Amino acid sequence: MNQFEFTVSEEQAQTRVDKLLTELMDDVSRSQIQLWIKEGHVTLNNESVKSNYKVEEADHLTVTVPEAVELEAVAEDIPLDVVYEDEDVIVINKPRGMVVHPAPGHPNGTLVNALLHHCSDLPGINGVIRPGIVHRIDKDTSGLLMVAKNDKAHESLVDQLKAKTTKRLYQTIVHGVIPHEHGTVDAPIGRDKRDRQSMAVTDDNGREAVTHFTVIETFEKYSYITCQLETGRTHQIRVHMKYIGHPVAGDPKYGPKKTLDIKGQALHASVLGFTHPRTGEEMVFEAPMPEDMNVLLKKLQDSR
């Protein structure tokens, strides 16, 4: 275990314990500090303390950092398309067919397994040595996702998602000809009561879900569009496009069986933007459509 000791200065007096320690310990989030305080890993003058206690000058704080536990997932040497990486964040262009998290039926071969091998400098998220998956994209959706490498980065990126300040743009081919250039689907999404493995637009258990779309090109039976997420519900684009009568081509769960020749849905997370958690720099990344989607689009264009 690592131990850190701090003596409160005159300038730091009357600051909450959790706030002060967050400022003093660069890579640790406030929520993690609060958890350590709750678990008794933080003492003030050798006694337990509460997160909201306001320190006095010359108070002595001791933080005993518990050893991070190993995640059950094992590191695997799986190639990754790394678009950007530094000490706080890694941006990956995930291929179609790769699961993000280990789960029943997919214990290995996932993005997490690959990241555990790739990132030798993971200090741990919330006391667990693991990459901080901030958001997910479905197994058969390709494209960009951001991963935090420490607590503070994870907290910042999650907060940005909650505040709807991240930029997430998807390219997709959907069934049917959409007659207008722009549209917004504002419809709550929750678990489908008739099929617990699926999501649906529902008022019963639905949470706010907003998708903005722009039609780029139309064909005889399909439309090529971009979708910008305002929220990030499970299967959001797939559910919303089905809801308005234009399901994503190739979608095995929400689309028709007779569709374009592609393994999985024709959906690609092409643009990802966020504020860097340490530097405050605005960062935007782009990933080109995968080859199979390009081939489909070219066939549709040539068939006109």
Side-chain angles (χ1 to χ4, degrees), residues 3-292:
Q3 195 168 80
F4 299 89
E5 300 193 21
F6 307 98
T7 300
V8 177
S9 68
E10 182 181 355
E11 295 77 18
Q12 294 166 337
Q14 296 306 306
T15 305
R16 283 176 53 123
V17 168
D18 56 354
K19 183 175 186 293
L20 178 60
L21 289 177
T22 304
E23 293 170 355
L24 293 171
M25 302 180 75
D26 280 347
D27 290 332
V28 184
S29 69
R30 192 162 177 172
S31 60
Q32 180 65 75
I33 293 289
Q34 290 169 342
L35 180 62
W36 286 343
I37 291 172
K38 186 177 180 180
E39 292 177 346
H41 298 300
V42 177
T43 60
L44 179 94
N45 303 326
N46 295 319
E47 294 185 4
S48 59
V49 65
K50 292 187 176 180
S51 293
N52 62 357
Y53 177 81
K54 292 186 177 179
V55 296
E56 303 285 349
E57 183 181 357
D59 274 347
H60 187 75
L61 285 164
T62 302
V63 182
T64 304
V65 179
E67 294 290 341
V69 298
E70 293 284 349
L71 184 70
E72 287 185 9
V74 296
E76 294 181 64
D77 187 3
I78 301 169
L80 286 174
D81 182 0
V82 179
V83 177
Y84 174 83
E85 182 177 11
D86 61 23
E87 61 184 322
D88 300 298
V89 179
I90 180 167
V91 177
I92 302 292
N93 182 18
K94 185 189 82 69
R96 180 178 290 108
M98 175 181 269
V99 174
V100 172
H101 253 299
H106 295 284
N108 43 46
T110 73
L111 179 65
V112 165
N113 298 113
L115 285 166
L116 286 170
H117 180 272
H118 175 84
C119 300
S120 58
D121 57 344
L122 284 178
I125 308 293
N126 292 332
V128 181
I129 298 175
R130 64 179 172 88
I133 302 297
V134 180
H135 62 124
R136 305 186 193 192
I137 54 179
D138 302 328
K139 173 190 173 187
D140 290 324
T141 298
S142 59
L144 298 170
L145 74 163
M146 53 189 173
V147 179
K149 295 173 72 174
N150 56 60
D151 261 321
K152 214 144 195 181
H154 187 259
E155 185 172 58
S156 171
L157 295 175
V158 168
D159 286 347
Q160 290 178 51
L161 282 172
K162 289 179 181 176
K164 304 176 184 177
T165 58
T166 55
K167 182 175 184 180
R168 288 170 293 162
L169 191 73
Y170 288 70
Q171 296 167 300
T172 182
I173 300 170
V174 299
H175 285 268
V177 178
I178 299 177
H180 39 271
E181 187 177 352
H182 299 283
T184 294
V185 186
D186 184 349
I189 291 176
R191 190 68 60 182
D192 189 336
K193 287 187 174 181
R194 294 169 298 179
D195 177 5
R196 301 301 296 172
Q197 299 300 312
S198 298
M199 309 300 288
V201 169
T202 175
D203 288 321
D204 290 343
N205 60 3
R207 298 171 66 193
E208 179 194 19
V210 181
T211 305
H212 306 284
F213 66 84
T214 298
V215 178
I216 307 300
E217 210 169 347
T218 58
F219 310 98
E220 184 183 359
K221 296 181 180 179
Y222 296 92
S223 297
Y224 166 46
I225 68 173
T226 59
C227 293
Q228 184 156 345
L229 291 181
E230 189 173 312
T231 54
R233 304 299 168 221
T234 301
H235 302 168
Q236 180 170 315
I237 292 173
R238 300 164 64 189
V239 171
H240 271 172
M241 297 317 295
K242 175 188 178 182
Y243 179 66
I244 65 171
H246 297 282
V248 175
D251 191 332
K253 188 181 289 286
Y254 302 106
K257 290 184 179 179
K258 291 186 177 180
T259 186
L260 298 174
D261 185 18
I262 187 171
K263 292 181 179 178
Q265 55 270 8
L267 183 60
H268 174 66
S270 58
V271 179
L272 176 64
F274 56 88
T275 302
H276 192 280
R278 187 183 297 267
T279 67
E281 179 186 354
E282 295 300 322
M283 312 189 81
V284 179
F285 303 96
E286 295 186 35
M289 273 201 306
E291 185 59 26
D292 56 358

